Amino acid sequence: MKFITAIIKPFKFTDVKDALSALGVSGLTVTEVSGYGRQKGQTEVYRGAEYTSSMLPKLKLEIAVSDAFADKVIEIVSAAAHTDEIGDGKIFVFDLADVLRVRTGEQGDLAL
């Protein structure tokens, strides 16, 4: 099993979610986060004063999938989140040792 964490631009979330639903991904967790990378932040004007914000709003998606789906999920998230501009995000892939569904006690792939 794999645990996929994707950091994406907020306005791309619907595209990513719809693409994952079409693939059959049954669930994901979304967290509003902020951070920076090569994009280096943005300049904004607040009450007439210009300031630079180095932390940009992003969404963090967390998806647990079986090994068989991992490559396809990565491909779909990458394609759906792509804008061809700096700050599109990153995808991190981790090995997932085990999963337990609390309600039923199912473990492993059955719990996904």
Side-chain angles (χ1 to χ4, degrees):
M1 294 177 293
K2 300 291 184 200
F3 189 71
I4 300 168
T5 300
I7 309 296
I8 64 169
K9 292 180 176 182
F11 71 88
K12 295 301 287 181
F13 174 66
T14 302
D15 296 341
V16 172
K17 183 179 65 90
D18 291 347
L20 288 172
S21 293
L23 178 65
V25 173
S26 59
L28 60 94
T29 300
V30 181
T31 309
E32 291 182 6
V33 297
S34 60
Y36 72 93
R38 291 186 182 158
Q39 197 172 4
K40 303 290 188 220
Q42 58 194 10
T43 302
E44 296 184 14
V45 176
Y46 178 71
R47 293 190 177 182
E50 187 175 286
Y51 71 98
T52 301
S53 171
S54 61
M55 304 297 279
L56 297 171
K58 302 287 182 176
L59 291 180
K60 179 170 79 169
L61 311 180
E62 296 173 313
I63 310 158
V65 295
S66 65
D67 287 330
F69 276 118
D71 289 338
K72 192 66 177 166
V73 167
I74 293 164
E75 178 184 319
I76 282 183
V77 170
S78 179
H82 181 80
T83 66
D84 201 28
E85 299 202 9
I86 194 166
D88 274 354
K90 296 263 191 302
I91 299 172
F92 304 96
V93 182
F94 305 94
D95 286 324
L96 185 58
D98 202 5
V99 177
L100 173 76
R101 180 172 291 157
V102 175
R103 180 178 56 88
T104 63
E106 296 170 307
Q107 284 189 270
D109 283 343
L110 293 175
L112 297 175

